[in-house]
Amino acid sequence: MTAFIVSVLFLLPLTMADITPGCKIRFTSRGLEMLKYETQKFVEEELSNITMPEMKGKEGRFQYTINNVKITELNLTHVDLRFQPDLGLLFEVENSSITLNFQRRILYWFFFDVGSINASAEGVNIHTALNLIRDDMGRLKISNITCDAYITKMKAKFSGTLGRVYDFIATFLTTGMRFLLNQQICPSMDRAGLVLINSLLETIPVRSEVDSYIGIDYSLLQDPVVTESSLDMDFRGMFYELKNENETLPNNAVNPIMTEYDKMVYLALSEYFFDSGLDAYFKAEMFKTEISNGRMSKDMEMLLKTTYFATIMMLNPALMEAPLSLELETTSPPRCTIKSSGASVSVNAIVNVLVLPPGQDPVQLSSMTMETKFNAKVSMKGKRLTVHMDLRRFKIFSNKSALESLALIPLQGPLKTMLQISVVPLINNYTKRGVQIPLAEGMDFIEEVVTYHNGYIVIGADLHFTTGLREVIQSKMEGESANAV
């Protein structure tokens, strides 16, 4: 019976939370402190757009109408943005003030008067809690907002011919205005979070194309983990071939560990992250190239002809005048190894030596195995991850015999030099484009520090806002409107 239960458990499908992340991001309290300024600006803009309904009423022999309410000034003096453990974020405004202006029309007996009223709301307090979750698409999302807002007191000053006469009804009017303003603050905060901030979070890539061959999956594996000092997110961090989007690569790498809080943000990437990219490119048949004509030096061509002189003469002496070609193709996906000393990529490939007689099919002279190891230097540019490769070790040997392998020894140095000159620059020119990390538009990494650990790397950085929250959200919504048309 026990064996049956164990067998059933092994057959059960893994949940997303059971998958080891290939990518992790931690936002610290320092990062939240910087975000607070942008959030305050954003909230001020939202509250400035509050619209209030027309007020009509009667008090004794007074009949009044209040309309065209405008917020003319916001003074949010005590603002706090902090992590709320096991929930998300808490945004608080305390002891702040709002200045308003609105128009009045008042009828008293046969006297009719119009004018403006300047009012100030003091002791403005707003407490907003944002619940952050992973939605069904694997995206970070605000699922719920709890808001509590109240105004301690409100003052009004009348202008116009009978301004002083109407001061005695100021208490009555401001009580109504305070009630209405209280009713408008939380709906405005709800819209700011559930609609606008969620629109900003939608700019974080979940599944997107890297180029015309592969894509990247940054879906969240579970709800973010929120403590008093950080917000941690686990992402799948897996590349995939675009022709086989649903194919996954098992993650047997170590789970990255982040222990620091000094920087604003930390990005951790395991060997799996890089291996999945190498695997996806291998499946897309990107790891093969041909070196011939202008890409092969005359000295290299002469050395190859000298090495394979006997073979060429046995096939056809006329082939000595034909150009040569080298075909390189990996035999298996390259593999990334990360240690505390740095990162490297191991590549195994087949090298075919071909002679290209004019107007005829290529003739293969030899086939050899190539084993190479590249040093890989990881860096960040804005929000794009880049890798610079440098050839570290190179070895070739024959697939046929040890004797032929000995004959290939003179080719080791020249072939390594040729790879450094012809192939490595092509690789670096491609990888310098980088791949975007799961960070919202308008934010970039600056002052990055890369540390290498056994099985993963951690990049600590500060954040820089290249665009304000309002501008990013507006651009996003305008783009959606244009696509809809």
Side-chain angles (χ1 to χ4, degrees):
M1 184 65 180
T2 303
F4 173 74
I5 293 174
V6 171
S7 300
V8 171
L9 289 175
F10 273 105
L11 290 174
L12 290 175
L14 291 175
T15 64
M16 293 297 282
D18 295 324
I19 299 173
T20 303
C23 170
K24 288 185 172 184
I25 287 185
R26 164 176 288 172
F27 284 98
T28 67
S29 297
R30 278 198 62 216
L32 206 59
E33 185 66 26
M34 180 180 181
L35 184 62
K36 182 175 75 174
Y37 172 72
E38 285 293 327
T39 304
Q40 180 176 340
K41 277 201 317 179
F42 180 73
V43 169
E44 287 175 348
E45 292 168 352
E46 280 300 299
L47 295 180
S48 297
N49 294 327
I50 285 179
T51 57
M52 299 178 62
E54 185 177 77
M55 286 178 57
K56 290 184 178 181
K58 185 176 182 182
E59 179 69 13
R61 297 186 181 277
F62 282 92
Q63 296 181 38
Y64 63 88
T65 301
I66 301 297
N67 58 20
N68 199 23
V69 181
K70 295 180 180 179
I71 294 178
T72 58
E73 184 180 355
L74 282 164
N75 187 18
L76 305 185
T77 52
H78 299 87
V79 178
D80 188 26
L81 179 65
R82 63 179 185 271
F83 296 117
Q84 184 73 12
D86 303 322
L87 180 70
L89 301 175
L90 187 64
F91 179 78
E92 293 183 321
V93 175
E94 293 184 347
N95 297 324
S96 298
S97 63
I98 300 176
T99 303
L100 307 95
N101 178 271
F102 44 93
Q103 299 299 312
R104 73 170 188 272
R105 292 198 303 271
I106 296 180
L107 178 64
Y108 178 68
W109 289 90
F110 300 106
F111 296 98
F112 179 73
D113 187 49
V114 297
S116 64
I117 303 174
N118 292 317
S120 61
E122 299 178 356
V124 177
N125 298 274
I126 307 171
H127 301 273
T128 306
L130 294 79
N131 187 17
L132 293 171
I133 65 163
R134 170 195 180 275
D135 70 6
D136 294 338
M137 300 297 293
R139 189 184 300 279
L140 181 65
K141 182 180 180 180
I142 298 173
S143 65
N144 183 48
I145 291 180
T146 304
C147 178
D148 179 31
Y150 61 92
I151 298 170
T152 304
K153 60 182 177 179
M154 195 164 187
K155 299 178 182 178
K157 183 176 181 180
F158 290 74
S159 65
T161 307
L162 303 176
R164 295 188 175 215
V165 177
Y166 301 137
D167 279 344
F168 76 94
I169 66 168
T171 302
F172 174 77
L173 289 177
T174 53
T175 299
M177 289 298 299
R178 186 178 66 175
F179 174 79
L180 287 176
L181 190 56
N182 271 332
Q183 296 299 306
Q184 295 298 317
I185 290 176
C186 280
S188 180
M189 296 296 290
D190 287 348
R191 177 181 179 274
L194 296 175
V195 178
L196 301 181
I197 297 299
N198 273 337
S199 178
L200 173 70
L201 295 177
E202 288 176 2
T203 66
I204 301 175
V206 176
R207 285 181 70 92
S208 59
E209 294 184 3
V210 175
D211 51 33
S212 56
Y213 305 98
I214 69 170
I216 179 71
D217 184 344
Y218 280 130
S219 54
L220 273 173
L221 299 178
Q222 59 185 352
D223 290 343
V225 177
V226 187
T227 66
E228 290 184 355
S229 54
S230 68
L231 182 147
D232 291 358
M233 293 175 288
D234 292 353
F235 299 90
R236 173 161 240 159
M238 181 195 75
F239 293 88
Y240 55 88
E241 186 191 5
L242 292 180
K243 292 181 180 179
N244 298 286
E245 292 189 21
N246 296 323
E247 187 175 350
T248 61
L249 182 70
N251 185 354
N252 299 315
V254 299
N255 193 342
I257 299 173
M258 294 179 289
T259 59
E260 298 183 8
Y261 298 86
D262 295 334
K263 289 286 189 177
M264 294 182 182
V265 62
Y266 289 90
L267 170 71
L269 303 168
S270 74
E271 289 176 345
Y272 172 80
F273 177 86
F274 299 99
D275 280 345
S276 67
L278 295 168
D279 184 79
Y281 275 128
F282 175 77
K283 291 174 180 175
E285 299 182 351
M286 285 290 291
F287 292 130
K288 57 183 180 180
T289 187
E290 180 183 351
I291 301 175
S292 60
N293 300 325
R295 294 179 61 193
M296 183 184 295
S297 68
K298 294 297 182 182
D299 290 342
M300 185 71 228
E301 188 173 33
M302 182 58 66
L303 181 60
L304 287 172
K305 286 183 177 181
T306 302
T307 303
Y308 295 103
F309 176 79
T311 304
I312 296 173
M313 293 302 291
M314 288 176 60
L315 290 171
N316 184 355
L319 294 177
M320 286 297 295
E321 302 301 322
L324 294 183
S325 170
L326 291 177
E327 288 184 350
L328 287 75
E329 183 173 0
T330 55
T331 55
S332 60
R335 285 290 171 254
C336 173
T337 302
I338 303 175
K339 297 181 179 180
S340 57
S341 56
S344 61
V345 176
S346 299
V347 181
N348 292 332
I350 291 293
V351 181
N352 293 322
V353 183
L354 306 172
V355 63
L356 308 175
Q360 300 179 38
D361 293 333
V363 178
Q364 181 172 314
L365 299 178
S366 176
S367 180
M368 47 191 162
T369 297
M370 178 182 73
E371 293 180 354
T372 58
K373 180 172 282 189
F374 295 85
N375 283 336
K377 184 179 179 181
V378 180
S379 60
M380 287 290 302
K381 293 181 180 179
K383 61 165 76 45
R384 301 193 73 83
L385 183 80
T386 63
V387 180
H388 182 84
M389 309 288 281
D390 181 42
L391 185 58
R392 176 184 169 190
R393 259 192 347 217
F394 176 86
K395 179 183 178 182
I396 54 171
F397 54 88
S398 172
N399 298 325
K400 296 179 180 179
S401 67
L403 185 62
E404 188 173 347
S405 294
L406 289 173
L408 294 177
I409 291 177
L411 289 176
Q412 296 271 356
L415 279 176
K416 182 179 180 180
T417 301
M418 184 188 65
L419 285 179
Q420 288 174 323
I421 295 174
S422 301
V423 177
V424 175
L426 292 177
I427 296 174
N428 288 328
N429 189 54
Y430 202 86
T431 58
K432 74 178 182 180
R433 305 174 189 178
V435 58
Q436 183 176 341
I437 62 170
L439 193 67
E441 291 296 326
M443 287 185 282
D444 281 345
F445 277 26
I446 58 171
E447 300 179 6
E448 309 88 355
V449 177
V450 181
T451 55
Y452 295 84
H453 306 266
N454 290 330
Y456 62 95
I457 66 169
V458 176
I459 303 174
D462 289 335
L463 289 171
H464 169 66
F465 279 91
T466 57
T467 310
L469 296 182
R470 170 72 57 185
E471 289 77 10
V472 174
I473 293 169
Q474 187 172 356
S475 175
K476 169 77 165 51
M477 300 185 81
E478 287 175 354
E480 290 177 347
S481 299
N483 292 334
V485 173

